Amino acid sequence: MKKSVSNNANDLYNKTDNETSRNNKKKKRNKIRRFNMSHEILDDKSFSFLVDADKSTPGFLKKMIDKFKENSKELLKGLQEGITSKDYKKINFSAHKLRGSAGAIGATKLMEVSAEIESDSSQKGDIEKIKKNVDELLKVYETTMATIEKRMND
């Protein structure tokens, strides 16, 4: 009987060890994906899709980008107002909407920073950390818009 308990304990240990190994591999893959995404301002595949759509519907890309600019200016203003008033709901709402809009045009870095702000604000995190991320978001927004303008003129 001791032998079966010992085997069960070993099986449990091996199973736990295998699960830990799988979880570590999964974490590593996700970390690599986040690293790759964090260095990409604009997802080529997503943006190329918009460029192709513009070929079949002239003016589509410009209309999408103009709408994105219009919406994002209001959302960026909402983020700044939320920071000033420490209104976590407003910060969360603006970050969530901006993340979705950025995703629609393939602005991966903008999505990433927006998602972090959204997460921190939903947990009512440190307002100074959120402010720092909003400051980064403003820089990323400018870089993203410059990248888009360059791509549209290529």
Side-chain angles (χ1 to χ4, degrees):
M1 199 177 234
K2 272 188 172 181
K3 193 173 188 177
S4 67
V5 170
S6 178
N7 285 340
N8 288 341
N10 284 336
D11 290 344
L12 182 60
Y13 175 78
N14 289 335
K15 183 178 179 186
T16 304
D17 195 38
N18 287 337
E19 287 174 7
T20 302
S21 178
R22 279 193 302 265
N23 287 339
N24 287 340
K25 286 177 185 175
K26 187 176 180 181
K27 285 179 185 177
K28 189 174 183 177
R29 277 193 311 269
N30 288 338
K31 191 173 186 178
I32 290 168
R33 280 189 201 122
R34 282 194 306 272
F35 177 79
N36 289 338
M37 179 190 275
S38 71
H39 288 80
E40 194 173 334
I41 294 294
L42 203 58
D43 178 59
D44 285 331
K45 190 174 183 179
S46 297
F47 198 76
S48 293
F49 177 79
L50 295 175
V51 170
D52 290 345
D54 190 63
K55 289 175 185 171
S56 62
T57 309
F60 173 78
L61 181 60
K62 182 174 178 1
K63 188 183 273 187
M64 280 284 290
I65 299 305
D66 287 347
K67 192 67 174 167
F68 174 76
K69 283 181 190 177
E70 180 185 321
N71 290 339
S72 59
K73 284 181 183 177
E74 285 300 312
L75 296 170
L76 291 169
K77 183 180 174 186
L79 284 169
Q80 292 170 319
E81 289 171 354
I83 293 288
T84 302
S85 63
K86 295 183 181 177
D87 183 344
Y88 288 98
K89 267 189 168 179
K90 188 170 196 167
I91 296 167
N92 185 271
F93 174 81
S94 297
H96 176 78
K97 296 280 282 182
L98 187 58
R99 179 173 59 96
S101 296
I105 63 165
T108 52
K109 182 68 177 176
L110 202 57
M111 279 176 49
E112 179 186 315
V113 180
S114 296
E116 189 168 343
I117 294 167
E118 182 183 3
S119 174
D120 288 346
S121 63
S122 71
Q123 298 170 20
K124 297 190 177 181
D126 177 22
I127 198 74
E128 287 304 314
K129 180 183 177 202
I130 295 170
K131 183 185 181 317
K132 191 175 175 181
N133 283 333
V134 169
D135 290 342
E136 180 187 354
L137 184 79
L138 294 170
K139 292 174 189 170
V140 169
Y141 176 79
E142 293 302 321
T143 303
T144 300
M145 295 316 299
T147 303
I148 289 170
E149 292 295 325
K150 184 179 182 304
R151 289 283 306 271
M152 287 176 67
N153 294 324
D154 284 347

